[in-house]
Amino acid sequence: MIEVEGLTKRYGRTLAVDGLSFTVEPGRVTGFLGPNGAGKSTTMRMVLGLDRPSAGRVLVDGRPYAELTDPLRRVGALLEARAVHGGRSAYHHLLWLAQTNRIPVSRVGEVLEQVGLTAVKRKRVKGFSLGMNQRLGIAAALLGDPGVLLFDEPVNGLDPEGIVWLRTLLKDLAGQGRTVFVSSHLMSEMALTAEHLVVIGRGRLLADTTVERFIADNSRSFVRITTPDPARLRSVFAAEGIQVTDLEDGAEGGALAAHGVDARRASELVAAHGLVVHEIGLRQASLEEAFVRMTAAAVEFREGM
Amino acid sequence: MTVFFSVVRAEWTKARTVRSTWWSLAVATVLCVGIAVLLGLQMADSYDRMVGSSAQLAFYPLLIGQIALVVFGVLLVSTEYTTGTIRASLAAVPRRGVFLAAKALTAAGIAGVLAVVVSFGAFLATQWGLGEHGTTLAEPGVLRAVLGACAYLTMMCVFVMGVATVLRSTALSLGIMIPVLFLNSQGLASLPAIRPVTQYLPDQAGAVMMHIGEPGRTILGHSDFGPGGAFLIMVAWVAAALAGAYVSVRRRDA
């Protein structure tokens, strides 16, 4: 379990993290979502005691990270994948990590096997692709068989096969009762992997909820209508008090969005007034749009202060 | 203590698994012993005009060769920061004091072994080159001076390791340490006006530790203290560098 309490990080006049409080529970994948620069990596570094909070604190299994003995046996983390000495082999990188926390050397071979790097374990990391680096970082996180795992943007650089592998791995780890905390700037990825979401924007907590709930609360739906006579449709809908806006999606003719109305009511109106339409149907705003809208609102809110 | 020694073991693994370690140590050995042989052979031909003793001649190669040892000490820490490995290191060993102590002990251990090899190696190589004019470790004061060289080189390596922890950059650390070592030894330190101050710099203290003969003179000029005082001055430099490193690694974000 990770408990973040009033966490704040100030760099000069910039507030990178602003009074964050949330709890990451074991047994499920918690997505840590926010646009680039929202403060996700800074928060993760503070969890690991790498950056000093300006205020607030983080507890891992009830204790500050720095007080854990053999921390790699409790907490595994993937931060930047490239943060490895290029001149060292993958095997030696994991070997010294294992030695620091008295982890059996046999684990090195096991995690290399698990992430699929056994064939290149004696190669120097300098020649690794970003995806291979990412796998090495994941191996390092798994090394101490920890109950708490943090992954900062683990999908970066992985090929499609790797992404599927990672999703399964994250879910398996959570299924074994571990605490799994994964950051991403891609809502769609989190929707496939996470059960719970912590969403931040500009260092502030925007949402701490389940993925389902987040989607229900934030996705906006509308009825998409294509018609050769948009002007008439607008006047008919306006007379009913229904807001209609243009859709800039490159459709031929006039593609319009009718808001606050379901598809059934919209088509009844169309029929009653003898309008010609080429298409009519409900559109669910994508998760990505919901996420962008939510974080954009946070940005405006901050700028308006 | 087992926790501490497991970290020392990991630091040793880190040091031995990158090529720069072996390169810098090999270069230090070749410079020290190689120059010693050449210097001995050269001086054997013009022995009548040589200033200083046969024994003292053996220490000049160390002043050049120490640069490679400085490079080793700097790289041991600066690559942690330039590659980002420091974050993995401190996540694995969150107690900054333990991390730094393990790193310093590893640096001292490796540098100590190398210092013994190059100090005795340079002495024996010089005497071999001097041939009939050569002397032995049995000559009064010689063994103390050679051991002084071992201690100096070891402490120098730990000192630069501490400096590099504060500076966090390979270029900056070497850019400061190498001019200090070269300019100081070969020029600035001999200017009488600033000599009272510059004699306390690490390489000048080292020169006193390697000096054979009456106190007050060194292989690089005169000094107000003897080998014992020089040793304490070096201890103070190392302590100051490590204290600075500790404050830096504890207070600053990784």
Side-chain angles (χ1 to χ4, degrees):
Chain A
M1 187 156 80
I2 305 170
E3 294 158 276
V4 174
E5 298 169 4
L7 200 63
T8 300
K9 181 66 181 181
R10 190 184 294 276
Y11 294 110
R13 291 176 60 194
T14 324
L15 264 180
V17 176
D18 187 1
L20 268 189
S21 294
F22 59 87
T23 301
V24 186
E25 303 279 353
R28 65 186 185 196
V29 178
T30 301
F32 191 27
L33 199 59
N36 290 326
K40 302 187 297 293
S41 298
T42 306
T43 303
M44 286 197 158
R45 284 200 303 272
M46 287 192 283
V47 173
L48 298 174
L50 296 173
D51 285 12
R52 293 161 61 87
S54 307
R57 63 174 188 170
V58 185
L59 300 180
V60 182
D61 290 343
R63 288 159 72 193
Y65 188 87
E67 290 178 14
L68 301 174
T69 31
D70 293 340
L72 299 187
R73 290 166 175 267
R74 286 179 168 271
V75 185
L78 163 75
L79 297 182
E80 306 119 285
R82 290 277 188 209
V84 177
H85 194 306
R88 205 172 272 130
S89 70
Y91 175 82
H92 282 137
H93 177 67
L94 296 174
L95 177 64
W96 75 257
L97 270 175
Q99 287 171 339
T100 56
N101 279 239
R102 294 171 295 166
I103 295 163
V105 178
S106 58
R107 278 295 293 164
V108 172
E110 286 171 29
V111 292
L112 281 166
E113 187 69 44
Q114 197 175 349
V115 302
L117 287 178
T118 305
V120 292
K121 67 176 185 178
R122 295 285 174 185
K123 293 258 193 311
R124 293 198 289 166
V125 174
K126 204 177 286 179
F128 278 18
S129 67
L130 181 57
M132 288 159 82
N133 266 306
Q134 206 70 269
R135 285 170 184 265
L136 178 58
I138 292 164
L142 298 173
L143 191 60
D145 195 19
V148 178
L149 287 139
L150 285 82
F151 299 93
D152 194 5
E153 301 275 358
V155 175
N156 280 1
L158 290 181
D159 53 20
E161 185 200 357
I163 292 172
V164 173
W165 165 77
L166 180 72
R167 273 181 210 146
T168 314
L169 175 71
L170 295 176
K171 285 176 183 170
D172 286 351
L173 291 167
Q176 292 159 6
R178 299 175 211 254
T179 304
V180 182
F181 193 41
V182 190
S183 83
S184 178
H185 63 281
L186 297 173
M187 176 69 213
S188 49
E189 183 53 40
M190 285 299 97
L192 290 167
T193 317
E195 289 170 64
H196 199 86
L197 283 182
V198 171
V199 185
I200 65 169
R202 291 253 176 140
R204 286 197 172 182
L205 187 69
L206 299 180
D208 180 354
T209 180
T210 64
V211 172
E212 278 175 22
R213 189 61 203 258
F214 181 82
I215 295 167
D217 287 354
N218 290 284
S219 62
R220 212 188 287 163
S221 59
F222 59 89
V223 176
R224 185 179 189 275
I225 307 168
T226 334
T227 168
D229 192 358
R232 205 169 144 234
L233 189 136
R234 276 173 181 280
S235 66
V236 166
F237 275 54
E240 296 291 324
I242 298 165
Q243 194 200 348
V244 176
T245 55
D246 280 316
L247 274 178
E248 292 171 31
D249 62 357
E252 283 184 31
L256 301 169
H259 302 277
V261 63
D262 59 14
R264 178 177 171 163
R265 170 101 179 98
S267 40
E268 282 168 3
L269 269 175
V270 165
H273 291 83
L275 291 164
V276 177
V277 295
H278 298 147
E279 188 200 343
I280 189 161
L282 186 68
R283 287 288 182 279
Q284 198 88 30
S286 75
L287 279 174
E288 217 65 60
E289 289 172 272
F291 169 53
V292 167
R293 190 179 309 121
M294 178 177 224
T295 51
V299 171
E300 284 158 21
F301 172 62
R302 303 266 306 160
E303 282 169 351
M305 275 169 70
Chain B
M1 283 318 265
T2 53
V3 172
F4 180 68
F5 283 108
S6 61
V7 180
V8 172
R9 191 157 164 242
E11 285 297 329
W12 161 242
T13 301
K14 266 193 217 173
R16 75 178 171 81
T17 54
V18 290
R19 291 183 190 177
S20 60
T21 297
W22 301 106
W23 273 114
S24 52
L25 298 183
V27 168
T29 310
V30 168
L31 279 178
C32 290
V33 180
I35 293 174
V37 169
L38 295 176
L39 198 61
L41 290 172
Q42 175 68 30
M43 287 300 162
D45 289 343
S46 52
Y47 193 73
D48 304 341
R49 284 170 285 135
M50 190 177 89
V51 181
S53 67
S54 296
Q56 199 65 79
L57 192 64
F59 296 92
Y60 291 97
L62 301 181
L63 298 178
I64 311 284
Q66 68 173 337
I67 301 297
L69 197 62
V70 164
V71 170
F72 163 72
V74 165
L75 286 180
L76 205 57
V77 173
S78 64
T79 53
E80 290 256 354
Y81 287 97
T82 55
T83 63
T85 312
I86 187 71
R87 284 183 282 277
S89 298
L90 293 179
V93 187
R95 288 179 182 84
R96 307 305 197 247
V98 170
F99 168 71
L100 196 64
K103 199 116 193 144
L105 194 65
T106 308
I110 297 171
V113 170
L114 186 88
V116 168
V117 170
V118 299
S119 300
F120 284 91
F123 181 84
L124 298 174
T126 309
Q127 305 317 318
W128 176 82
L130 284 168
E132 56 175 319
H133 302 294
T135 182
T136 66
L137 288 166
E139 189 184 316
V142 169
L143 188 60
R144 198 226 75 234
V146 175
L147 291 175
C150 295
Y152 162 68
L153 291 174
T154 306
M155 289 193 281
M156 190 64 183
C157 188
V158 179
F159 169 72
V160 297
M161 193 216 89
V163 170
T165 308
V166 176
L167 297 176
R168 299 184 166 197
S169 148
T170 310
L172 197 59
S173 304
L174 291 177
I176 289 174
M177 291 316 302
I178 290 184
V180 163
L181 289 174
F182 266 120
L183 288 177
N184 193 19
S185 299
Q186 304 191 346
L188 290 178
S190 48
L191 296 175
I194 55 170
R195 181 72 197 156
V197 178
T198 54
Q199 65 176 333
Y200 292 100
L201 287 168
D203 67 317
Q204 296 299 309
V208 176
M209 291 166 73
M210 296 182 217
H211 180 62
I212 302 164
E214 85 272 31
R217 290 201 52 78
T218 83
I219 59 172
L220 294 172
H222 102 98
S223 78
D224 296 338
F225 44 83
F231 179 82
L232 293 178
I233 289 166
M234 269 316 283
V235 169
W237 279 110
V238 171
L242 288 180
Y246 179 70
V247 171
S248 175
V249 82
R250 195 173 162 84
R251 298 210 61 87
R252 289 166 65 190
D253 293 338

